[in-house]
Amino acid sequence: MKSPYIMAPMAGITNRPFRLIVKQFGAAMVTSEMVSAMGLMVGQTRTLDYLRSAPEERPFCVQLFGSDPDVMARAAEKVIESGADVIDINMGCPARKVVKTGSGGALLLDWRKAERIVRAVRLVSPLPLTVKIRAGWSPTHGKTLELASALENSGADAVTVHPRFVTQGFSGIPDWRLIEQIKSRVSVPVIGNGDVFSPHLAIKMREETGCDGVMVARGALGNPWIFQQALDLDQGRIPSDPAPLERKHLIMKHYHLLSDEMGERRAAFHFRGLLLRYTKGLPHSGLFRRSIEQVKDLQSLVGTMDGYFSSMEADGP
Ligand SMILES: Cc1cc2nc3c(=O)[nH]c(=O)nc-3n(C[C@H](O)[C@H](O)[C@H](O)COP(=O)(O)O)c2cc1C
């Protein structure tokens, strides 16, 4: 693997435009939003749409969620047909609507079923198969150390570990030591995940845990540069933040990709969200963010953005 830094699956976020952007900055692999195995089975158009990818995204991983081994295997066949490169199985999603169907994080309550799912998908799929787990369901249910080994024995080619319990959601601090413990227990590659919000933390996770790859989710929101910055650090270069003009151009590129994907009207609807994400933490961004609250149409939003970035250019570094 050239780069060990991987873009995480994020429902509602890791659509094709987003994936193309992070790929541009060196993400080793990009992952779809989580895709319902049942939705694929019954041929829901919207669900099938999640499988579409562009050649520039490759290697492209599709993440499946589901609770029935047969349905997961049939869905995997559809993923293979679609031309994806890797299949990932979601065993960590804490969302109620997912958990109540026995999928996602609920599989950490039923290890036998989790193993059966991996075996069923392994049987039909020659593609690399990865599994994304959490630390466990809850502290009282014990940790997924042994599950990781069991999933390896069932046919998983790599394990991604987000070391929070499902019941924690996103609260608390992920216990990176679990990534290290799982790494020392399994022989397949282990990908660490959780609270990597800067390139320095990406390096720190690799050093502290010995993980083979680092998966970044929220840290790439508004900062797709994080992948390049981590690679820079690896190569002894001091990572730099993008200049205001570069940031502005990226926002417009992201907007145009969205527009190609979903049409101008819907893309315009997302533009304010893009601006909020890409300006978080920048100088005077509070003022800028408040000023765009009132602005309704795309043209005025672009104008306000131009003004903001020009003033930053004028202020200098
Ligand atoms: C908005 C959002 C959507 C997410 N969607 C998914 C998903 O579809 N599948 C999945 O396995 N994890 C999903 N996650 C979890 C992330 O992939 C990742 O495990 C978690 O955010 C921890 O990594 P981070 O600290 O780098 O954000 C999502 C997280 C967020 C914030």
Side-chain angles (χ1 to χ4, degrees), residues 8-14 32-35 63 88-94 132 134 162 164 170 174 193-197 215-221:
M10 277 199 281
I13 309 268
T14 50
S32 67
E33 306 177 50
M34 61 179 178
V35 180
Q63 187 189 60
D88 182 62
I89 299 176
N90 183 321
M91 296 194 184
C93 180
K132 186 161 175 278
R134 283 192 171 225
H162 173 204
R164 281 187 175 94
F170 290 90
N193 169 238
D195 286 13
V196 171
F197 292 119
M215 182 176 268
V216 180
R218 291 165 298 170
L221 290 176

PDB file of all heavy atoms in Angstrom, residues 8-14 32-35 63 88-94 132 134 162 164 170 174 193-197 215-221, ligand 1:
ATOM      1  N   ALA A   8     -12.630   6.945   5.745  1.00  0.00           N
ATOM      2  CA  ALA A   8     -13.648   6.108   6.397  1.00  0.00           C
ATOM      3  C   ALA A   8     -14.987   6.215   5.671  1.00  0.00           C
ATOM      4  O   ALA A   8     -15.252   7.200   4.984  1.00  0.00           O
ATOM      5  CB  ALA A   8     -13.833   6.588   7.837  1.00  0.00           C
ATOM      6  N   PRO A   9     -15.843   5.231   5.856  1.00  0.00           N
ATOM      7  CA  PRO A   9     -17.217   5.382   5.368  1.00  0.00           C
ATOM      8  C   PRO A   9     -17.962   6.359   6.264  1.00  0.00           C
ATOM      9  O   PRO A   9     -17.826   6.310   7.486  1.00  0.00           O
ATOM     10  CB  PRO A   9     -17.799   3.969   5.525  1.00  0.00           C
ATOM     11  CG  PRO A   9     -16.979   3.312   6.592  1.00  0.00           C
ATOM     12  CD  PRO A   9     -15.616   3.943   6.556  1.00  0.00           C
ATOM     13  N   MET A  10     -18.723   7.261   5.655  1.00  0.00           N
ATOM     14  CA  MET A  10     -19.568   8.170   6.446  1.00  0.00           C
ATOM     15  C   MET A  10     -20.897   8.360   5.726  1.00  0.00           C
ATOM     16  O   MET A  10     -20.945   8.943   4.632  1.00  0.00           O
ATOM     17  CB  MET A  10     -18.878   9.518   6.650  1.00  0.00           C
ATOM     18  CG  MET A  10     -17.899   9.515   7.806  1.00  0.00           C
ATOM     19  SD  MET A  10     -17.511  11.189   8.379  1.00  0.00           S
ATOM     20  CE  MET A  10     -16.355  11.685   7.168  1.00  0.00           C
ATOM     21  N   ALA A  11     -21.960   7.868   6.359  1.00  0.00           N
ATOM     22  CA  ALA A  11     -23.290   7.983   5.760  1.00  0.00           C
ATOM     23  C   ALA A  11     -23.623   9.458   5.553  1.00  0.00           C
ATOM     24  O   ALA A  11     -23.382  10.282   6.439  1.00  0.00           O
ATOM     25  CB  ALA A  11     -24.317   7.327   6.676  1.00  0.00           C
ATOM     26  N   GLY A  12     -24.132   9.776   4.383  1.00  0.00           N
ATOM     27  CA  GLY A  12     -24.523  11.154   4.083  1.00  0.00           C
ATOM     28  C   GLY A  12     -23.343  12.040   3.695  1.00  0.00           C
ATOM     29  O   GLY A  12     -23.521  13.209   3.360  1.00  0.00           O
ATOM     30  N   ILE A  13     -22.133  11.517   3.746  1.00  0.00           N
ATOM     31  CA  ILE A  13     -20.950  12.339   3.459  1.00  0.00           C
ATOM     32  C   ILE A  13     -20.091  11.749   2.332  1.00  0.00           C
ATOM     33  O   ILE A  13     -19.759  12.455   1.377  1.00  0.00           O
ATOM     34  CB  ILE A  13     -20.033  12.459   4.717  1.00  0.00           C
ATOM     35  CG1 ILE A  13     -20.817  12.900   5.943  1.00  0.00           C
ATOM     36  CG2 ILE A  13     -18.808  13.333   4.415  1.00  0.00           C
ATOM     37  CD1 ILE A  13     -20.871  14.361   6.198  1.00  0.00           C
ATOM     38  N   THR A  14     -19.734  10.476   2.459  1.00  0.00           N
ATOM     39  CA  THR A  14     -18.744   9.947   1.500  1.00  0.00           C
ATOM     40  C   THR A  14     -19.403   9.532   0.177  1.00  0.00           C
ATOM     41  O   THR A  14     -19.324   8.384  -0.251  1.00  0.00           O
ATOM     42  CB  THR A  14     -17.923   8.784   2.113  1.00  0.00           C
ATOM     43  OG1 THR A  14     -18.818   7.827   2.705  1.00  0.00           O
ATOM     44  CG2 THR A  14     -16.968   9.274   3.160  1.00  0.00           C
ATOM     45  N   SER A  32     -17.575   3.715   0.330  1.00  0.00           N
ATOM     46  CA  SER A  32     -18.932   4.244   0.104  1.00  0.00           C
ATOM     47  C   SER A  32     -19.569   4.610   1.443  1.00  0.00           C
ATOM     48  O   SER A  32     -19.033   4.292   2.501  1.00  0.00           O
ATOM     49  CB  SER A  32     -19.781   3.154  -0.553  1.00  0.00           C
ATOM     50  OG  SER A  32     -19.978   2.095   0.379  1.00  0.00           O
ATOM     51  N   GLU A  33     -20.728   5.228   1.373  1.00  0.00           N
ATOM     52  CA  GLU A  33     -21.555   5.315   2.568  1.00  0.00           C
ATOM     53  C   GLU A  33     -22.017   3.884   2.850  1.00  0.00           C
ATOM     54  O   GLU A  33     -21.947   3.027   1.973  1.00  0.00           O
ATOM     55  CB  GLU A  33     -22.785   6.180   2.289  1.00  0.00           C
ATOM     56  CG  GLU A  33     -22.426   7.542   1.737  1.00  0.00           C
ATOM     57  CD  GLU A  33     -23.654   8.370   1.394  1.00  0.00           C
ATOM     58  OE1 GLU A  33     -24.545   8.473   2.241  1.00  0.00           O
ATOM     59  OE2 GLU A  33     -23.710   8.907   0.281  1.00  0.00           O
ATOM     60  N   MET A  34     -22.482   3.615   4.063  1.00  0.00           N
ATOM     61  CA  MET A  34     -22.906   2.235   4.308  1.00  0.00           C
ATOM     62  C   MET A  34     -24.142   1.922   3.460  1.00  0.00           C
ATOM     63  O   MET A  34     -25.028   2.755   3.277  1.00  0.00           O
ATOM     64  CB  MET A  34     -23.166   1.984   5.790  1.00  0.00           C
ATOM     65  CG  MET A  34     -24.234   2.812   6.398  1.00  0.00           C
ATOM     66  SD  MET A  34     -24.397   2.327   8.129  1.00  0.00           S
ATOM     67  CE  MET A  34     -25.673   3.467   8.632  1.00  0.00           C
ATOM     68  N   VAL A  35     -24.149   0.716   2.915  1.00  0.00           N
ATOM     69  CA  VAL A  35     -25.175   0.320   1.958  1.00  0.00           C
ATOM     70  C   VAL A  35     -25.977  -0.839   2.555  1.00  0.00           C
ATOM     71  O   VAL A  35     -25.385  -1.828   3.015  1.00  0.00           O
ATOM     72  CB  VAL A  35     -24.509  -0.149   0.639  1.00  0.00           C
ATOM     73  CG1 VAL A  35     -25.558  -0.559  -0.374  1.00  0.00           C
ATOM     74  CG2 VAL A  35     -23.610   0.945   0.062  1.00  0.00           C
ATOM     75  N   GLN A  63     -19.148  -0.538   1.636  1.00  0.00           N
ATOM     76  CA  GLN A  63     -19.464  -1.071   2.957  1.00  0.00           C
ATOM     77  C   GLN A  63     -20.918  -1.550   3.009  1.00  0.00           C
ATOM     78  O   GLN A  63     -21.831  -0.787   2.683  1.00  0.00           O
ATOM     79  CB  GLN A  63     -19.260  -0.027   4.050  1.00  0.00           C
ATOM     80  CG  GLN A  63     -19.440  -0.673   5.432  1.00  0.00           C
ATOM     81  CD  GLN A  63     -19.473   0.315   6.571  1.00  0.00           C
ATOM     82  OE1 GLN A  63     -20.342   1.188   6.603  1.00  0.00           O
ATOM     83  NE2 GLN A  63     -18.551   0.184   7.501  1.00  0.00           N
ATOM     84  N   ASP A  88     -16.468  -4.172   2.604  1.00  0.00           N
ATOM     85  CA  ASP A  88     -16.317  -4.018   4.055  1.00  0.00           C
ATOM     86  C   ASP A  88     -17.662  -4.328   4.710  1.00  0.00           C
ATOM     87  O   ASP A  88     -18.723  -4.030   4.148  1.00  0.00           O
ATOM     88  CB  ASP A  88     -15.900  -2.572   4.389  1.00  0.00           C
ATOM     89  CG  ASP A  88     -15.691  -2.387   5.890  1.00  0.00           C
ATOM     90  OD1 ASP A  88     -14.803  -3.061   6.445  1.00  0.00           O
ATOM     91  OD2 ASP A  88     -16.413  -1.573   6.499  1.00  0.00           O
ATOM     92  N   ILE A  89     -17.606  -4.912   5.886  1.00  0.00           N
ATOM     93  CA  ILE A  89     -18.850  -5.207   6.612  1.00  0.00           C
ATOM     94  C   ILE A  89     -18.908  -4.335   7.855  1.00  0.00           C
ATOM     95  O   ILE A  89     -17.953  -4.276   8.641  1.00  0.00           O
ATOM     96  CB  ILE A  89     -18.928  -6.696   6.991  1.00  0.00           C
ATOM     97  CG1 ILE A  89     -18.900  -7.538   5.711  1.00  0.00           C
ATOM     98  CG2 ILE A  89     -20.202  -6.977   7.785  1.00  0.00           C
ATOM     99  CD1 ILE A  89     -18.864  -9.036   5.965  1.00  0.00           C
ATOM    100  N   ASN A  90     -20.035  -3.656   8.007  1.00  0.00           N
ATOM    101  CA  ASN A  90     -20.228  -2.744   9.131  1.00  0.00           C
ATOM    102  C   ASN A  90     -20.646  -3.520  10.372  1.00  0.00           C
ATOM    103  O   ASN A  90     -21.709  -4.135  10.403  1.00  0.00           O
ATOM    104  CB  ASN A  90     -21.303  -1.716   8.741  1.00  0.00           C
ATOM    105  CG  ASN A  90     -21.542  -0.674   9.819  1.00  0.00           C
ATOM    106  OD1 ASN A  90     -21.549  -0.986  11.004  1.00  0.00           O
ATOM    107  ND2 ASN A  90     -21.741   0.561   9.411  1.00  0.00           N
ATOM    108  N   MET A  91     -19.785  -3.470  11.382  1.00  0.00           N
ATOM    109  CA  MET A  91     -20.130  -4.100  12.672  1.00  0.00           C
ATOM    110  C   MET A  91     -19.926  -3.085  13.785  1.00  0.00           C
ATOM    111  O   MET A  91     -19.335  -3.404  14.823  1.00  0.00           O
ATOM    112  CB  MET A  91     -19.262  -5.342  12.910  1.00  0.00           C
ATOM    113  CG  MET A  91     -19.498  -6.446  11.910  1.00  0.00           C
ATOM    114  SD  MET A  91     -18.777  -8.011  12.426  1.00  0.00           S
ATOM    115  CE  MET A  91     -19.131  -9.033  11.003  1.00  0.00           C
ATOM    116  N   GLY A  92     -20.380  -1.858  13.535  1.00  0.00           N
ATOM    117  CA  GLY A  92     -20.150  -0.856  14.569  1.00  0.00           C
ATOM    118  C   GLY A  92     -21.171   0.262  14.628  1.00  0.00           C
ATOM    119  O   GLY A  92     -21.195   1.019  15.588  1.00  0.00           O
ATOM    120  N   CYS A  93     -22.025   0.354  13.585  1.00  0.00           N
ATOM    121  CA  CYS A  93     -22.928   1.511  13.547  1.00  0.00           C
ATOM    122  C   CYS A  93     -23.862   1.509  14.773  1.00  0.00           C
ATOM    123  O   CYS A  93     -24.551   0.521  15.039  1.00  0.00           O
ATOM    124  CB  CYS A  93     -23.750   1.484  12.260  1.00  0.00           C
ATOM    125  SG  CYS A  93     -24.883   2.881  12.166  1.00  0.00           S
ATOM    126  N   PRO A  94     -23.890   2.638  15.509  1.00  0.00           N
ATOM    127  CA  PRO A  94     -24.726   2.687  16.705  1.00  0.00           C
ATOM    128  C   PRO A  94     -26.140   3.232  16.443  1.00  0.00           C
ATOM    129  O   PRO A  94     -26.943   3.295  17.363  1.00  0.00           O
ATOM    130  CB  PRO A  94     -23.957   3.667  17.604  1.00  0.00           C
ATOM    131  CG  PRO A  94     -23.277   4.602  16.641  1.00  0.00           C
ATOM    132  CD  PRO A  94     -23.047   3.837  15.367  1.00  0.00           C
ATOM    133  N   LYS A 132     -15.357  -3.795   9.886  1.00  0.00           N
ATOM    134  CA  LYS A 132     -15.130  -2.613  10.735  1.00  0.00           C
ATOM    135  C   LYS A 132     -15.863  -2.829  12.053  1.00  0.00           C
ATOM    136  O   LYS A 132     -17.093  -2.902  12.077  1.00  0.00           O
ATOM    137  CB  LYS A 132     -15.623  -1.355  10.013  1.00  0.00           C
ATOM    138  CG  LYS A 132     -15.319  -0.061  10.729  1.00  0.00           C
ATOM    139  CD  LYS A 132     -15.409   1.103   9.736  1.00  0.00           C
ATOM    140  CE  LYS A 132     -15.228   2.451  10.384  1.00  0.00           C
ATOM    141  NZ  LYS A 132     -16.444   2.967  11.008  1.00  0.00           N
ATOM    142  N   ARG A 134     -16.096  -2.126  16.522  1.00  0.00           N
ATOM    143  CA  ARG A 134     -15.826  -1.204  17.634  1.00  0.00           C
ATOM    144  C   ARG A 134     -15.193  -1.994  18.779  1.00  0.00           C
ATOM    145  O   ARG A 134     -14.878  -3.180  18.631  1.00  0.00           O
ATOM    146  CB  ARG A 134     -17.113  -0.531  18.077  1.00  0.00           C
ATOM    147  CG  ARG A 134     -17.573   0.587  17.138  1.00  0.00           C
ATOM    148  CD  ARG A 134     -18.668   1.384  17.774  1.00  0.00           C
ATOM    149  NE  ARG A 134     -19.009   2.580  17.018  1.00  0.00           N
ATOM    150  CZ  ARG A 134     -19.188   3.780  17.569  1.00  0.00           C
ATOM    151  NH1 ARG A 134     -19.050   3.950  18.879  1.00  0.00           N
ATOM    152  NH2 ARG A 134     -19.530   4.818  16.837  1.00  0.00           N
ATOM    153  N   HIS A 162     -12.441   0.764  15.553  1.00  0.00           N
ATOM    154  CA  HIS A 162     -12.776   2.066  16.141  1.00  0.00           C
ATOM    155  C   HIS A 162     -13.028   1.779  17.621  1.00  0.00           C
ATOM    156  O   HIS A 162     -14.129   1.308  17.988  1.00  0.00           O
ATOM    157  CB  HIS A 162     -14.021   2.652  15.462  1.00  0.00           C
ATOM    158  CG  HIS A 162     -14.523   3.901  16.118  1.00  0.00           C
ATOM    159  ND1 HIS A 162     -15.831   4.329  16.029  1.00  0.00           N
ATOM    160  CD2 HIS A 162     -13.898   4.826  16.876  1.00  0.00           C
ATOM    161  CE1 HIS A 162     -15.983   5.445  16.713  1.00  0.00           C
ATOM    162  NE2 HIS A 162     -14.828   5.769  17.236  1.00  0.00           N
ATOM    163  N   ARG A 164     -14.215   2.562  20.409  1.00  0.00           N
ATOM    164  CA  ARG A 164     -15.260   3.031  21.326  1.00  0.00           C
ATOM    165  C   ARG A 164     -16.314   1.931  21.372  1.00  0.00           C
ATOM    166  O   ARG A 164     -16.482   1.204  20.377  1.00  0.00           O
ATOM    167  CB  ARG A 164     -15.937   4.302  20.792  1.00  0.00           C
ATOM    168  CG  ARG A 164     -15.162   5.583  20.990  1.00  0.00           C
ATOM    169  CD  ARG A 164     -16.044   6.766  20.567  1.00  0.00           C
ATOM    170  NE  ARG A 164     -15.407   8.042  20.847  1.00  0.00           N
ATOM    171  CZ  ARG A 164     -14.671   8.727  19.977  1.00  0.00           C
ATOM    172  NH1 ARG A 164     -14.472   8.255  18.757  1.00  0.00           N
ATOM    173  NH2 ARG A 164     -14.128   9.880  20.313  1.00  0.00           N
ATOM    174  N   PHE A 170     -20.301   8.526  19.909  1.00  0.00           N
ATOM    175  CA  PHE A 170     -19.042   9.220  19.613  1.00  0.00           C
ATOM    176  C   PHE A 170     -18.485   9.912  20.853  1.00  0.00           C
ATOM    177  O   PHE A 170     -17.604  10.759  20.762  1.00  0.00           O
ATOM    178  CB  PHE A 170     -19.239  10.237  18.485  1.00  0.00           C
ATOM    179  CG  PHE A 170     -19.479   9.567  17.171  1.00  0.00           C
ATOM    180  CD1 PHE A 170     -20.758   9.252  16.759  1.00  0.00           C
ATOM    181  CD2 PHE A 170     -18.419   9.207  16.358  1.00  0.00           C
ATOM    182  CE1 PHE A 170     -20.986   8.600  15.565  1.00  0.00           C
ATOM    183  CE2 PHE A 170     -18.617   8.555  15.164  1.00  0.00           C
ATOM    184  CZ  PHE A 170     -19.902   8.247  14.759  1.00  0.00           C
ATOM    185  N   PRO A 174     -11.518   7.382  22.395  1.00  0.00           N
ATOM    186  CA  PRO A 174     -11.277   6.004  21.932  1.00  0.00           C
ATOM    187  C   PRO A 174      -9.991   5.465  22.557  1.00  0.00           C
ATOM    188  O   PRO A 174      -9.011   6.192  22.658  1.00  0.00           O
ATOM    189  CB  PRO A 174     -11.141   6.161  20.414  1.00  0.00           C
ATOM    190  CG  PRO A 174     -10.738   7.578  20.184  1.00  0.00           C
ATOM    191  CD  PRO A 174     -11.339   8.376  21.315  1.00  0.00           C
ATOM    192  N   ASN A 193      -8.662   3.443  13.883  1.00  0.00           N
ATOM    193  CA  ASN A 193      -9.603   4.535  13.597  1.00  0.00           C
ATOM    194  C   ASN A 193     -10.053   5.144  14.922  1.00  0.00           C
ATOM    195  O   ASN A 193     -10.153   4.453  15.927  1.00  0.00           O
ATOM    196  CB  ASN A 193     -10.798   3.953  12.804  1.00  0.00           C
ATOM    197  CG  ASN A 193     -11.969   4.908  12.663  1.00  0.00           C
ATOM    198  OD1 ASN A 193     -13.084   4.603  13.075  1.00  0.00           O
ATOM    199  ND2 ASN A 193     -11.732   6.062  12.084  1.00  0.00           N
ATOM    200  N   GLY A 194     -10.283   6.451  14.902  1.00  0.00           N
ATOM    201  CA  GLY A 194     -10.818   7.108  16.091  1.00  0.00           C
ATOM    202  C   GLY A 194     -10.049   8.336  16.509  1.00  0.00           C
ATOM    203  O   GLY A 194      -8.915   8.252  16.970  1.00  0.00           O
ATOM    204  N   ASP A 195     -10.689   9.494  16.302  1.00  0.00           N
ATOM    205  CA  ASP A 195     -10.156  10.784  16.757  1.00  0.00           C
ATOM    206  C   ASP A 195      -8.822  11.170  16.125  1.00  0.00           C
ATOM    207  O   ASP A 195      -7.991  11.824  16.773  1.00  0.00           O
ATOM    208  CB  ASP A 195     -10.051  10.815  18.286  1.00  0.00           C
ATOM    209  CG  ASP A 195     -11.423  10.959  18.951  1.00  0.00           C
ATOM    210  OD1 ASP A 195     -12.438  10.789  18.229  1.00  0.00           O
ATOM    211  OD2 ASP A 195     -11.485  11.227  20.158  1.00  0.00           O
ATOM    212  N   VAL A 196      -8.622  10.802  14.876  1.00  0.00           N
ATOM    213  CA  VAL A 196      -7.443  11.302  14.164  1.00  0.00           C
ATOM    214  C   VAL A 196      -7.873  12.602  13.482  1.00  0.00           C
ATOM    215  O   VAL A 196      -8.448  12.600  12.403  1.00  0.00           O
ATOM    216  CB  VAL A 196      -6.920  10.257  13.144  1.00  0.00           C
ATOM    217  CG1 VAL A 196      -5.835  10.866  12.261  1.00  0.00           C
ATOM    218  CG2 VAL A 196      -6.375   9.047  13.881  1.00  0.00           C
ATOM    219  N   PHE A 197      -7.610  13.702  14.179  1.00  0.00           N
ATOM    220  CA  PHE A 197      -8.074  15.010  13.699  1.00  0.00           C
ATOM    221  C   PHE A 197      -6.954  15.849  13.102  1.00  0.00           C
ATOM    222  O   PHE A 197      -7.176  17.003  12.745  1.00  0.00           O
ATOM    223  CB  PHE A 197      -8.743  15.778  14.839  1.00  0.00           C
ATOM    224  CG  PHE A 197     -10.047  15.154  15.272  1.00  0.00           C
ATOM    225  CD1 PHE A 197     -10.213  14.690  16.562  1.00  0.00           C
ATOM    226  CD2 PHE A 197     -11.090  15.003  14.376  1.00  0.00           C
ATOM    227  CE1 PHE A 197     -11.404  14.101  16.963  1.00  0.00           C
ATOM    228  CE2 PHE A 197     -12.292  14.410  14.760  1.00  0.00           C
ATOM    229  CZ  PHE A 197     -12.447  13.958  16.049  1.00  0.00           C
ATOM    230  N   MET A 215      -7.482   4.987   9.504  1.00  0.00           N
ATOM    231  CA  MET A 215      -8.702   5.420   8.828  1.00  0.00           C
ATOM    232  C   MET A 215      -9.179   6.731   9.450  1.00  0.00           C
ATOM    233  O   MET A 215      -9.281   6.843  10.671  1.00  0.00           O
ATOM    234  CB  MET A 215      -9.770   4.340   8.975  1.00  0.00           C
ATOM    235  CG  MET A 215     -11.050   4.672   8.258  1.00  0.00           C
ATOM    236  SD  MET A 215     -12.234   3.315   8.375  1.00  0.00           S
ATOM    237  CE  MET A 215     -11.865   2.404   6.882  1.00  0.00           C
ATOM    238  N   VAL A 216      -9.435   7.703   8.591  1.00  0.00           N
ATOM    239  CA  VAL A 216      -9.829   9.033   9.066  1.00  0.00           C
ATOM    240  C   VAL A 216     -11.265   9.301   8.643  1.00  0.00           C
ATOM    241  O   VAL A 216     -11.618   9.090   7.479  1.00  0.00           O
ATOM    242  CB  VAL A 216      -8.913  10.120   8.437  1.00  0.00           C
ATOM    243  CG1 VAL A 216      -9.308  11.503   8.920  1.00  0.00           C
ATOM    244  CG2 VAL A 216      -7.453   9.834   8.730  1.00  0.00           C
ATOM    245  N   ALA A 217     -12.089   9.756   9.576  1.00  0.00           N
ATOM    246  CA  ALA A 217     -13.471  10.126   9.222  1.00  0.00           C
ATOM    247  C   ALA A 217     -13.648  11.635   9.421  1.00  0.00           C
ATOM    248  O   ALA A 217     -13.390  12.428   8.514  1.00  0.00           O
ATOM    249  CB  ALA A 217     -14.466   9.317  10.042  1.00  0.00           C
ATOM    250  N   ARG A 218     -14.014  12.066  10.627  1.00  0.00           N
ATOM    251  CA  ARG A 218     -14.351  13.481  10.841  1.00  0.00           C
ATOM    252  C   ARG A 218     -13.179  14.413  10.568  1.00  0.00           C
ATOM    253  O   ARG A 218     -13.376  15.563  10.183  1.00  0.00           O
ATOM    254  CB  ARG A 218     -14.888  13.667  12.262  1.00  0.00           C
ATOM    255  CG  ARG A 218     -16.261  13.022  12.460  1.00  0.00           C
ATOM    256  CD  ARG A 218     -16.618  12.893  13.914  1.00  0.00           C
ATOM    257  NE  ARG A 218     -15.678  12.027  14.617  1.00  0.00           N
ATOM    258  CZ  ARG A 218     -15.622  11.886  15.935  1.00  0.00           C
ATOM    259  NH1 ARG A 218     -16.453  12.562  16.692  1.00  0.00           N
ATOM    260  NH2 ARG A 218     -14.751  11.080  16.489  1.00  0.00           N
ATOM    261  N   GLY A 219     -11.965  13.904  10.747  1.00  0.00           N
ATOM    262  CA  GLY A 219     -10.777  14.735  10.518  1.00  0.00           C
ATOM    263  C   GLY A 219     -10.621  15.172   9.067  1.00  0.00           C
ATOM    264  O   GLY A 219      -9.845  16.089   8.777  1.00  0.00           O
ATOM    265  N   ALA A 220     -11.331  14.501   8.159  1.00  0.00           N
ATOM    266  CA  ALA A 220     -11.222  14.890   6.743  1.00  0.00           C
ATOM    267  C   ALA A 220     -12.337  15.842   6.325  1.00  0.00           C
ATOM    268  O   ALA A 220     -12.332  16.361   5.210  1.00  0.00           O
ATOM    269  CB  ALA A 220     -11.259  13.642   5.862  1.00  0.00           C
ATOM    270  N   LEU A 221     -13.287  16.093   7.238  1.00  0.00           N
ATOM    271  CA  LEU A 221     -14.385  17.016   6.906  1.00  0.00           C
ATOM    272  C   LEU A 221     -13.831  18.437   6.855  1.00  0.00           C
ATOM    273  O   LEU A 221     -13.331  18.945   7.860  1.00  0.00           O
ATOM    274  CB  LEU A 221     -15.488  16.949   7.971  1.00  0.00           C
ATOM    275  CG  LEU A 221     -16.317  15.663   8.023  1.00  0.00           C
ATOM    276  CD1 LEU A 221     -17.300  15.710   9.184  1.00  0.00           C
ATOM    277  CD2 LEU A 221     -17.052  15.469   6.708  1.00  0.00           C
TER     278      LEU A 221
HETATM  279  C1  LIG B   1     -21.581  11.569   9.921  1.00  0.00           C
HETATM  280  C2  LIG B   1     -20.953  10.228  10.157  1.00  0.00           C
HETATM  281  C3  LIG B   1     -21.372   9.146   9.418  1.00  0.00           C
HETATM  282  C4  LIG B   1     -20.797   7.883   9.609  1.00  0.00           C
HETATM  283  N1  LIG B   1     -21.192   6.838   8.835  1.00  0.00           N
HETATM  284  C5  LIG B   1     -20.579   5.627   8.965  1.00  0.00           C
HETATM  285  C6  LIG B   1     -20.899   4.546   8.103  1.00  0.00           C
HETATM  286  O1  LIG B   1     -21.722   4.654   7.195  1.00  0.00           O
HETATM  287  N2  LIG B   1     -20.250   3.368   8.312  1.00  0.00           N
HETATM  288  C7  LIG B   1     -19.313   3.203   9.304  1.00  0.00           C
HETATM  289  O2  LIG B   1     -18.744   2.113   9.452  1.00  0.00           O
HETATM  290  N3  LIG B   1     -18.997   4.219  10.121  1.00  0.00           N
HETATM  291  C8  LIG B   1     -19.585   5.415   9.959  1.00  0.00           C
HETATM  292  N4  LIG B   1     -19.209   6.461  10.764  1.00  0.00           N
HETATM  293  C9  LIG B   1     -18.125   6.251  11.731  1.00  0.00           C
HETATM  294  C10 LIG B   1     -16.768   6.613  11.123  1.00  0.00           C
HETATM  295  O3  LIG B   1     -16.459   5.824   9.999  1.00  0.00           O
HETATM  296  C11 LIG B   1     -15.644   6.466  12.164  1.00  0.00           C
HETATM  297  O4  LIG B   1     -15.571   5.133  12.571  1.00  0.00           O
HETATM  298  C12 LIG B   1     -15.878   7.342  13.388  1.00  0.00           C
HETATM  299  O5  LIG B   1     -16.343   8.627  13.024  1.00  0.00           O
HETATM  300  C13 LIG B   1     -14.561   7.499  14.181  1.00  0.00           C
HETATM  301  O6  LIG B   1     -13.566   8.067  13.374  1.00  0.00           O
HETATM  302  P1  LIG B   1     -13.167   9.639  13.468  1.00  0.00           P
HETATM  303  O7  LIG B   1     -12.828   9.896  14.899  1.00  0.00           O
HETATM  304  O8  LIG B   1     -11.982   9.750  12.530  1.00  0.00           O
HETATM  305  O9  LIG B   1     -14.360  10.435  13.055  1.00  0.00           O
HETATM  306  C14 LIG B   1     -19.782   7.700  10.584  1.00  0.00           C
HETATM  307  C15 LIG B   1     -19.373   8.808  11.336  1.00  0.00           C
HETATM  308  C16 LIG B   1     -19.938  10.054  11.139  1.00  0.00           C
HETATM  309  C17 LIG B   1     -19.450  11.218  11.938  1.00  0.00           C
END
